[in-house]
Amino acid sequence: KAGVTQTPRYLIKTRGQQVTLSCSPISGHRSVSWYQQTPGQGLQFLFEYFSETQRNKGNFPGRFSGRQFSNSRSEMNVSTLELGDSALYLCASSPEQGGIQYFGAGTRLSVL
Amino acid sequence: DQQVKQNSPSLSVQEGRISILNCDYTNSMFDYFLWYKKYPAEGPTFLISISSIKDKNEDGRFTVFLNKSAKHLSLHIVPSQPGDSAVYFCAASDSGTYKYIFGTGTRLKVLA
């Protein structure tokens, strides 16, 4: 079974631009969560989608948004990028809400 | 407000000895805990979990202990191997929200 796939692996953007990151969960998994990892901050929860609905949200500004499609694939969008948005963005999927989460390799975003 | 804390940023252990990684939490509603291991340039990999109805769970060289009254859990790795060198994250959730909160991680270095 293929694991969680995140694309692209690396991105370089400039301040003020917007970016879209993609996540394909493990086949059959219906829950997709997104996290931001920065040095010293661990994994900060962004949001979780289950059956195309956002079920949980972390403490991030409205510039961070996401969606989930009917095939459980998910996208995350960040608008009006700031330097502080530079981070590793991780996607995780699980069969149901609250189950063990399986992570992708992440997308490393650099904002210049 | 860091609800899940890993107070040791790093730990060095000799090969063959025991590694003990600690995690403290503040939210008494947390009832499910997981440990993940992360190598550079990879996503976190699930290691072991424990629910609040247990105080110990074992899987091979890995054992997780949960002390609910102290709001403390620990991961024991015996014997430690050089391949265990990685960053270890603990995570907690409550079955009401299904939202996972991660600690900031402990970097384990196993010396050959």
Side-chain angles (χ1 to χ4, degrees), chain B residues 53-91:
Chain B
I53 61 172
K54 297 177 130 184
D55 53 20
K56 177 181 172 182
N57 189 26
E58 276 182 272
D59 185 1
R61 296 185 299 113
F62 302 92
T63 303
V64 56
F65 295 92
L66 175 62
N67 182 333
K68 289 185 287 294
S69 60
K71 295 193 181 68
H72 177 84
L73 64 155
S74 60
L75 174 69
H76 293 209
I77 306 173
V78 186
S80 301
Q81 300 172 354
D84 296 329
S85 296
V87 178
Y88 289 78
F89 292 97
C90 65

Side-chain angles (χ1 to χ4, degrees), chain A residues 71-98:
Chain A
N71 62 358
S72 293
R73 192 177 70 84
S74 177
E75 287 182 347
M76 188 190 99
N77 185 274
V78 188
S79 62
T80 320
L81 284 166
E82 300 177 0
L83 295 179
D85 297 333
S86 295
L88 179 67
Y89 290 88
L90 290 160
C91 165
S93 76
S94 60
E96 302 291 338
Q97 280 190 291

